[in-house]
């Protein structure tokens, strides 16, 4: 990663975003606490937190098209500024004791839309900021950044809330302003004009992005792998938490389990570039799924929260390597004029998996005894493992970037 350490622009982007991620995670912890303090309603707390995810999903596909149509740096700067302004409005309302659920929902929607816009713009910019051989390291470091920001922000949110309802949002303002300034100094290369025609209708541009992903077998299969991994892992996580609670594990041990899950993800993201250089993408993806197939059923036999935390850490250590292989292939083999829309498609499919995963886990623990629910998740992962092992398209995934034959995006 020495090349990235010497890459001034990537360092600025990465540093700003790890702080921004911490600010966002702080806000996500503070939102339900504020709503409970104002209304005492758990339902309304869920409404505010859910508004972020709903807005992000609704804006995902258009956001990808905008990332291909507009200046990506300006999109990212606008998102950081908008989030800082929204948090400032909320701070003033809380300070004046006039904040209501409606305002909290509006701020949550702004944050969800900004995340939907920012992510494809940033992902599409990576191949312009770093050398092709450094893309795997950049992809994995971005994953580590997200995990580190979530860990620190989650811990900080509750602590800051104890000093006042508005204090976590003050930190969020500072975080987004810091990220804005960092982004301002990033020298993102000017993109070459990809077509002489004016921008198409937004719906047509979105359809082009969806069509691109669907027509490329390797993009289609690797996207399925990522969605499956996110869906079943998020379901498995909820099943284990319910199982641990049912076995009478203290809440402190359950908290340690969650922290070790996050720590395993950070370490896995840091190790992912090394694994990517030593193992072919196909073996890396299939190997991760096989390891998860073996490890996930072990939770049935673990009754200690600390041992379960170690199991969680081991499980979380693995997916970043597969995600790095998949993300690198997808970025390097998608034309620049379509990378934003690729990011929009991946953001929406990943968001749907993250939303449906806990719902699936909740249904499993209601319908099945704890151990059977664990085995159901493990069985589903095993089915995907067999698919990845014998899928000819995935087996043909090249070890190095191999350009795809792009179909024209305009008629």
């Amino acid at each position: 990663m020495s090349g990235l350490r010497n890459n001034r622009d990537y360092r600025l982007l990465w540093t700003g975003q790890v702080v921004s991620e911490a600010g966002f995670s702080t806000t996500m912890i503070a939102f339900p606490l504020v709503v409970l303090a104002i209304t005492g309603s758990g339902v309304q707390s869920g409404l505010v937190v859910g508004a972020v995810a709903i807005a992000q999903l609704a804006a995902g596909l258009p956001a990808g098209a905008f990332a291909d149509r507009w200046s990506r740096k300006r999109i990212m700067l606008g998102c950081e500024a908008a989030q800082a302004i929204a948090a400032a409005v909320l701070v003033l309302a809380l300070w004046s004791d006039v904040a209501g659920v409606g305002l909290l929902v509006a701020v949550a929607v702004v944050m969800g839309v900004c995340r939907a816009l920012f992510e494809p713009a940033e992902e599409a910019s990576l191949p312009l900021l770093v050398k092709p051989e450094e893309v795997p390291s950049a992809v994995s470091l971005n994953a580590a950044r997200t995990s580190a920001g979530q860990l620190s922000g989650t811990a900080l949110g509750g602590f800051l809330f104890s000093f006042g309802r508005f204090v976590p949002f003050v930190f969020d303002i500072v975080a987004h302003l810091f990220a804005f300034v960092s982004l301002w100094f990033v020298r993102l290369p000017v993109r070459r004009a990809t077509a002489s025609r004016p921008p198409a209708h937004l719906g047509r541009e979105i359809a082009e992005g969806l069509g691109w992903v669907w027509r490329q077998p390797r993009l289609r299969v690797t996207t399925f792998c990522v969605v499956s991994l996110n869906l079943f892992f998020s379901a498995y996580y909820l099943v284990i938490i319910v199982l641990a609670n049912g076995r009478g594990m203290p809440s402190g041990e359950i908290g340690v389990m969650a922290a070790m899950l996050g720590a395993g993800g950070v370490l896995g993201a840091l190790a992912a570039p090394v694994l990517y250089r030593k193992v072919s993408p196909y073996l890396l993806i299939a190997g991760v799924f096989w390891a998860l197939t073996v490890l996930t059923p072990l939770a049935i036999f673990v009754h200690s929260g600390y041992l379960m935390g170690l199991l969680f850490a081991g499980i979380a250590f693995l997916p970043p390597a597969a995600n790095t292989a998949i993300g690198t292939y997808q970025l390097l083999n998608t034309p620049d004029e379509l990378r934003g829309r690729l990011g929009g498609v991946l953001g929406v499919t990943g968001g749907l998996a993250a939303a449906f995963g806990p719902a699936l886990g909740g249904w499993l623990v209601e319908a099945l005894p704890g151990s059977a629910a664990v085995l159901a998740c493990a069985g589903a992962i095993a089915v995907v493992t067999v698919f990845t092992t014998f899928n000819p398209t995935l087996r043909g995934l090249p070890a190095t970037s191999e350009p795809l034959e792009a179909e024209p995006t305009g008629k």
Side-chain angles (χ1 to χ4, degrees):
M1 297 185 188
S2 58
L4 292 181
R5 283 197 295 268
N6 296 327
N7 186 325
R8 166 192 175 274
D9 297 302
Y10 179 76
R11 286 202 322 269
L12 284 170
L13 176 63
W14 192 92
T15 304
Q17 287 311 297
V18 75
V19 176
S20 179
E21 190 68 48
F24 175 78
S25 297
T26 298
T27 296
M28 291 302 292
I29 291 297
F31 267 146
L33 296 176
V34 168
V35 177
L36 286 171
I38 293 174
T39 68
S41 170
V43 173
Q44 294 189 58
S45 294
L47 173 66
V48 173
V49 174
V52 177
I54 293 170
Q56 190 168 353
L57 282 173
L61 292 178
F66 290 138
D68 287 333
R69 179 190 288 191
W70 297 341
S71 163
R72 290 165 183 165
K73 181 175 178 179
R74 289 179 181 175
I75 289 175
M76 292 188 284
L77 285 170
C79 288
E80 293 297 347
Q83 289 179 92
I85 292 169
V89 170
L90 183 54
V91 166
L92 290 175
L94 289 169
W95 179 271
S96 306
D97 201 24
V98 295
V101 173
L103 177 61
L104 287 160
V105 169
V107 172
V109 168
V110 169
M111 292 183 172
V113 170
C114 285
R115 285 180 73 83
L117 286 165
F118 191 98
E119 290 175 2
E122 183 195 19
E123 290 169 5
S125 299
L126 275 185
L128 302 179
L129 279 177
V130 305
K131 299 175 182 177
E133 62 270 20
E134 293 171 347
V135 170
S137 296
V139 169
S140 61
L141 280 176
N142 281 7
R145 177 193 77 194
T146 300
S147 297
Q150 289 172 348
L151 278 174
S152 59
T154 300
L156 194 57
F159 173 73
L160 292 177
F161 188 82
S162 65
F163 293 98
R165 297 177 185 177
F166 64 90
V167 178
F169 302 102
V170 172
F171 174 77
D172 193 34
I173 296 170
V174 174
H176 290 301
L177 289 177
F178 178 86
F180 180 91
V181 173
S182 296
L183 267 169
W184 184 269
F185 291 102
V186 171
R187 298 170 299 197
L188 186 61
V190 178
R191 297 162 58 203
R192 297 192 304 271
T194 56
S196 58
R197 65 188 177 95
H201 184 273
L202 181 62
R204 194 178 308 126
E205 290 183 334
I206 292 172
E208 286 172 357
L210 289 168
W212 164 258
V213 175
W214 183 254
R215 288 191 299 270
Q216 308 302 328
R218 290 172 180 170
L219 291 184
R220 195 168 63 237
V221 170
T222 51
T223 299
F224 170 78
C225 289
V226 172
V227 171
S228 300
L229 195 61
N230 290 340
L231 175 69
F232 294 121
F233 186 78
S234 55
Y236 177 80
Y237 175 75
L238 181 66
V239 167
I240 296 303
I241 295 299
V242 173
L243 180 65
N245 185 68
R247 289 176 173 175
M249 286 187 189
S251 58
E253 290 189 23
I254 294 177
V256 169
M257 286 166 47
M260 293 180 76
L261 176 73
V266 172
L267 294 175
L270 294 175
V274 178
L275 295 172
Y276 179 84
R277 288 193 296 269
K278 294 182 178 298
V279 184
S280 72
Y282 163 71
L283 290 178
L284 194 56
I285 295 167
V288 166
F289 274 101
W290 274 108
L292 292 175
T293 300
V294 171
L295 289 175
T296 48
L298 297 181
I300 295 173
F301 309 103
V302 179
H303 296 268
S304 163
Y306 301 111
L307 290 178
M308 190 76 81
L310 287 174
L311 178 62
F312 261 8
I315 291 173
F317 181 84
L318 300 169
N323 288 335
T324 294
I326 292 170
T328 299
Y329 178 82
Q330 292 176 332
L331 276 177
L332 292 181
N333 290 278
T334 298
D336 181 65
E337 68 268 21
L338 284 163
R339 283 182 183 140
R341 279 168 282 182
L342 171 69
V345 172
L346 297 179
V348 169
T349 53
L352 288 172
F356 283 115
L360 174 61
W363 178 81
L364 286 173
V365 295
E366 288 290 331
L368 301 170
S371 296
V374 172
L375 289 176
C377 288
I381 293 173
V383 170
V384 180
T385 298
V386 172
F387 169 82
T388 58
T389 303
F390 296 104
N391 183 269
T393 300
L394 202 59
R395 289 173 70 90
L397 204 64
T400 57
S401 176
E402 181 181 284
L404 295 171
E405 293 184 6
E407 297 186 22
T409 59
K411 303 290 185 188

